[in-house]
Amino acid sequence: QVQLVESGGGLVQAGGSLRLSCAASGRTFSSYAMAWFRQAPGNEREFVAAISWSGGDLDYADSVKGRFTISRDNAKNTVYLRMNSLKPEDTAVYYCAAATARYYTTIYYLAGQYPYWGQGTQVTVSS
């Protein structure tokens, strides 16, 4: 089992940048596929980005491609989300998620595929 704690959220002006971090407990972090999701008020939780446990496979939602970068440091049990060129529509609570993965290339896209979640961190982008 793994416990996840997000940090790095805050208030930023449009065009600005933030870096979210997700620290994981447990000795098997390197065997987990990881992802970031977000949820704005009144909306369903949506996929943002995912990374395989090897770090070699990545994918992004179309809405953030070219602006967001997901990465991980298995030695530090941490996954990151670098967010550049932020827009007001990026405002949401951002959640880190983890799932055990059989293969080092595995990426999951659905919230239901991730059994482990952090508490979320608020990102607010002002116009």
Side-chain angles (χ1 to χ4, degrees):
Q1 196 164 0
V2 63
Q3 293 183 325
L4 307 172
V5 179
E6 301 98 333
S7 61
L11 173 64
V12 63
Q13 289 187 333
S17 299
L18 283 174
R19 189 181 78 159
L20 306 183
S21 298
C22 173
S25 64
R27 294 176 293 176
T28 59
F29 174 75
S30 60
S31 65
Y32 286 91
M34 302 295 296
W36 289 93
F37 287 77
R38 67 186 182 186
Q39 188 167 18
N43 291 354
E44 294 186 353
R45 194 167 296 188
E46 66 173 357
F47 171 80
V48 175
I51 187 168
S52 61
W53 62 253
S54 70
D57 293 85
L58 316 170
D59 207 357
Y60 300 89
D62 288 343
S63 59
V64 307
K65 276 183 182 175
R67 300 189 297 122
F68 290 12
T69 302
I70 189 171
S71 62
R72 66 189 295 161
D73 185 338
N74 287 342
K76 295 183 178 180
N77 282 12
T78 303
V79 64
Y80 305 96
L81 185 68
R82 177 68 180 180
M83 306 184 293
N84 295 329
S85 303
L86 282 161
K87 304 175 181 180
E89 51 263 44
D90 294 318
T91 295
V93 177
Y94 283 71
Y95 296 91
C96 174
T100 53
R102 183 173 183 180
Y103 302 107
Y104 67 92
T105 57
T106 299
I107 289 177
Y108 301 114
Y109 294 88
L110 302 178
Q113 294 175 299
Y114 289 90
Y116 306 111
W117 292 84
Q119 81 289 350
T121 185
Q122 176 70 46
V123 172
T124 302
V125 184
S126 63
S127 57

